[in-house]
Amino acid sequence: MNPIIKHSIRFVFFILLQVFVLNTISPLHQFIVPYIYFLYILWLPIGIPRIWLLLLAFIFGLTLDYFTGTPGLHAAPCVAIAFLRPFLLKLLLAQETAEAGYMEPGHKSMGWAPYITYAVVLILLHHSYLVLIEWLQFGNFLYFMGKVAGTSAVSLLLILIAELLIPRREKQRAVK
Amino acid sequence: MRNILLFIQRYFTFICFLILQILCIVLLSRSSKSHETFFSTAANEVTGKVNQQYSGVRQYFSLRETNRMLTEENVRLRNELTNNYIDTASTQLVTTDSTLRDSVGRMRKYTFLPAHVIGNTITLQNNFLTIERGSAQGVKKGMAVTSPQGIVGVVVEVGPNISRVMSLLHRNSRVSAMLKKDTVTGSLEWDGADPTYLTLRNIPKSSVIKKGDTVLTSNYSANFPSRLMVGTVADIRSESESNFFSLTIKTAVNFFNIQYVYLIENVRYKEQLSLEQTTPTRQ
């Protein structure tokens, strides 16, 4: 499939999933909000130009924000993880994999351990930032820590489930 | 000059990152400062359309519950019809009047408008409802919103056909509410934790409160008519450092399944608000 079409479908899918399914789940606990929408940014191709990555993340976050009525709230963490993503990938990937720019980060292209590290770092960053700006005016530190931990755990679980459920066909690069 | 250009070229992505971040924070601060959603009309209409499609599907799953609630309300209203009451002096005839001015010269203060809820969140810190009514149908900013069971929120953003309602489950929501028993008035807020409980602050310790007491909207609110159902007292906390109780209120309305709401317009809303906002001048 054409990658542009593929990522556009993903864009719409993740927004709808977050707005109409995950955001309507009745809260189990005040710490736990299931967030998975930013997996879209995690799954963008490795070699995407950094400026496009930033812009896409911004538009993506803002789209979600217009559904929840809080412009900027989700866009800011999205842009933050999009900015840090290339550095993290450079650290985690072996040289020759990093050059295979059209590939997407995933357990097949990276291996389980680096992929989970990659996901955990970005999840923690995203949630810390999100909860921080959400709670800046109320300032209860215990709540902040609890919410970051709870939300991150649920997100990691969702991302692992998604990774196992959704088969993403990775073209294996033929040796030239 | 050349060095500046080189600098920009070198840190181009970082500068873009900073610009986008600042943009986000500006958008966010603008939206929360004014207690309203910063919402361009175009985006509002687009998300509203999507919400509308989705709610059209979802609606079928809650038809039974909606019907039950409407029937309950009909029964309650029917019981209040004037012709159900017989006056002790049978020579007098009592009638209700729905015109702008009734025969005793009383002016109409509130008008009601039904609306269909097409979007609703409960899991966030700042929750909104989207309703399928707009300025074309006579919706104005600041109109009160109630459901058959109890009050829901206040209209904050009006598009041509779709409006946004700041739910009671919003960090900035403040509604004046009172205890039915002794009409002591406090401020109704939400602490962001549980969507079935609200907090009523500033109830003086002199008032005697029991769990299960009814809480109604107060007489002081500009947008809500007085004595609308809010909820019941679920827990009483006495703040040791102040002279006030802080009450946990179980909401009468179930925010999980709101389908239809009423918009209430206070005809004198603007007049009351502008008068209350002027600083009193010394004579």
Side-chain angles (χ1 to χ4, degrees), chain A residues 3-18:
Chain A
I4 294 178
I5 297 174
K6 186 171 77 179
H7 288 289
S8 307
I9 292 173
R10 261 183 211 166
F11 188 106
V12 176
F13 171 75
F14 276 118
I15 291 282
L16 293 184
L17 179 73
Q18 186 65 43

Side-chain angles (χ1 to χ4, degrees), chain A residues 20 23 25-26 30 50-51 54 58 62 66-69 71-73 75-76 79-80 83 129 134-135 138 147, chain B residues 12-14 16-17 20-21 23-24 27-28 37-39 47 50-51 54 123-125 128 164 171 193 195 256:
Chain A
F20 290 120
N23 275 359
I25 290 175
S26 50
Q30 55 172 337
R50 290 175 57 192
I51 186 73
L54 283 178
F58 179 69
L62 209 61
Y66 275 120
F67 275 102
T68 58
L73 184 65
V79 172
F83 180 71
Y129 196 4
E134 201 176 46
W135 277 83
F138 317 115
K147 185 146 185 175
Chain B
F12 184 60
T13 33
F14 185 66
C16 281
F17 167 70
L20 288 178
Q21 283 293 320
L23 196 64
C24 292
L27 280 176
L28 195 63
T37 47
F38 165 77
F39 223 76
T47 52
V50 180
N51 275 328
Y54 183 70
T123 54
L124 310 170
Q125 292 300 314
F128 294 95
R164 283 228 150 184
R171 280 297 194 159
F256 292 80

Side-chain angles (χ1 to χ4, degrees), chain A residues 115-136:
Chain A
Y115 180 66
I116 290 174
T117 321
Y118 165 75
V120 166
V121 171
L122 291 188
I123 289 169
L124 277 178
L125 181 77
H126 176 274
H127 290 326
S128 319
Y129 196 4
L130 181 72
V131 178
L132 180 74
I133 48 180
E134 201 176 46
W135 277 83
L136 216 48

Side-chain angles (χ1 to χ4, degrees), chain B residues 66-85 96 112 146-151 180 214 216-217 225-231 252-254 260-262 264:
Chain B
T66 313
N67 271 335
R68 189 188 61 78
M69 279 180 344
L70 289 176
T71 322
E72 253 173 32
E73 188 181 34
N74 272 336
V75 169
R76 210 178 65 232
L77 293 177
R78 260 172 212 281
N79 281 332
E80 285 173 12
L81 279 181
T82 327
N83 53 18
N84 283 342
Y85 298 90
T96 43
F112 287 71
T146 76
S147 81
Q149 302 154 307
I151 65 166
K180 187 184 180 187
T214 309
L216 305 173
T217 52
S226 64
R227 305 189 78 80
L228 285 179
M229 184 66 182
V230 174
V253 42
N254 183 355
Y260 287 93
V261 290
Y262 302 107
I264 307 174

Side-chain angles (χ1 to χ4, degrees), chain B residues 108-113 142-147 150-154 175-178 185 188 215-230 262-269 272:
Chain B
R108 186 175 180 79
K109 190 175 174 191
Y110 297 107
T111 54
F112 287 71
L113 202 65
M143 279 171 94
V145 181
T146 76
S147 81
I151 65 166
V152 171
V154 174
V175 175
S176 173
M178 67 180 183
T185 308
L188 190 70
V215 178
L216 305 173
T217 52
S218 78
N219 304 327
Y220 308 145
S221 175
N223 30 27
F224 282 100
S226 64
R227 305 189 78 80
L228 285 179
M229 184 66 182
V230 174
Y262 302 107
L263 303 170
I264 307 174
E265 184 190 5
N266 180 355
V267 179
R268 298 175 183 171
Y269 176 67
Q272 182 172 350

